[in-house]
Amino acid sequence: MSSSSVPIHGNYHGYYAKRPSVNDPRLELLPPSTFAGKRVLDVGCNEGWVSCEIAQSHGASRVVGVDIDDALVRGAWRRRRTVWSAQGPPPDTHDSEPETETAGPSRKRKRTEDAPVPRSAVGEPDYFPASCAHSLGPLPIPHSAPELFPHNVSFRTADWVNEPIPEDEGGYDVVLAFSITKWIHLNGGDSALTTFFARVSSVLQPGGQFVVEPQAWDTYRKAKRMDKRLRETAQGLVLRPDDFPRMLADVGFGEPLRLGSVGEGGFHRPVDLYTKI
Ligand SMILES: C[S@@+](CC[C@H](N)C(=O)[O-])C[C@H]1O[C@@H](n2cnc3c(N)ncnc32)[C@H](O)[C@@H]1O
């Protein structure tokens, strides 16, 4: 799909200018081992900020971000390069202070021993200032192990509800659906949401985890105003976000773990963790 001028899929451009996504507080709610060594699918990755953070700082072996909007996916590839350029050297190649003095406790907890240093880490030097990126472009990416950032993150354009992507074949350990259920629901109706949850279940093995940040029903009202077709679809909706636990139980998930709610203003939403039985 090409970029739509009305963001009917929630395909907002400049989304991360509005929502803090370096050290994303939603990720901080998750148990520390959630992504370590895991294959992760980020559905509705937008410009890839969350995908890159998981790949760089949470020890994932592989992160695939998928988004319906090709322009956003191109932005995600650029983001990967930007994050790579800004990354500090691994701790053993620079004489940094001990990590306890340079990073907050939760970040330290999640970073693997030899993980490189993201520029976002509190108190870290700016290894590649924006002015350098503007005048020189991003740094080249050297060959390295496929499980190391940035080789461990890639992006695809697809309507993931209806189009499988090649990476699905190998399955995932964790599927992430942050702030996307409303858009799937409003565009495709109840059946799209049912299909989406069944697809998530189909790419996870028992023990696999589904992390979802559902938008509340009362926020659908504003989105419906965007577009006539969304309004028409909305009229036929029977399912509500409160039905998600039952719907997910129907496709093989256990009771959700309610991890809490974070986010400012209209972004204050719960994050729920489901495990496939
Ligand atoms: C509101 S944004 C949330 C971005 C990101 N998940 C986050 O919370 O930081 C929703 C994203 O989902 C994408 N999206 C909506 N429907 C989709 C679909 N069927 N398949 C893939 N991506 C989709 C949109 O293009 C948009 O980038």
Side-chain angles (χ1 to χ4, degrees), residues 9-11 15-16 26 44 46 67-68 72 158-160 178-179:
H9 297 281
N11 47 325
Y15 187 67
Y16 294 110
R26 296 170 294 180
N46 199 273
D67 202 281
I68 199 167
L72 292 175
D159 168 359
W160 195 78
F178 278 171
S179 292

Side-chain angles (χ1 to χ4, degrees), residues 1 7-13 15-16 19-21 24 26 42-51 66-70 72 156-163 176-185 187 196 213 215 267 269:
M1 193 209 98
I8 58 167
H9 297 281
N11 47 325
Y12 298 110
H13 292 230
Y15 187 67
Y16 294 110
R19 174 153 216 173
S21 285
D24 194 301
R26 296 170 294 180
D42 180 10
V43 188
C45 66
N46 199 273
E47 287 180 309
W49 287 45
V50 172
S51 312
V66 62
D67 202 281
I68 199 167
D69 185 326
D70 191 46
L72 292 175
R156 288 211 180 257
T157 304
D159 168 359
W160 195 78
V161 178
N162 298 299
E163 299 163 41
L176 212 64
F178 278 171
S179 292
I180 186 177
T181 48
K182 171 170 73 177
W183 302 109
I184 292 172
H185 206 180
N187 279 278
F196 176 53
E213 180 197 30
Q215 294 106 327
F267 290 120
R269 295 171 190 150

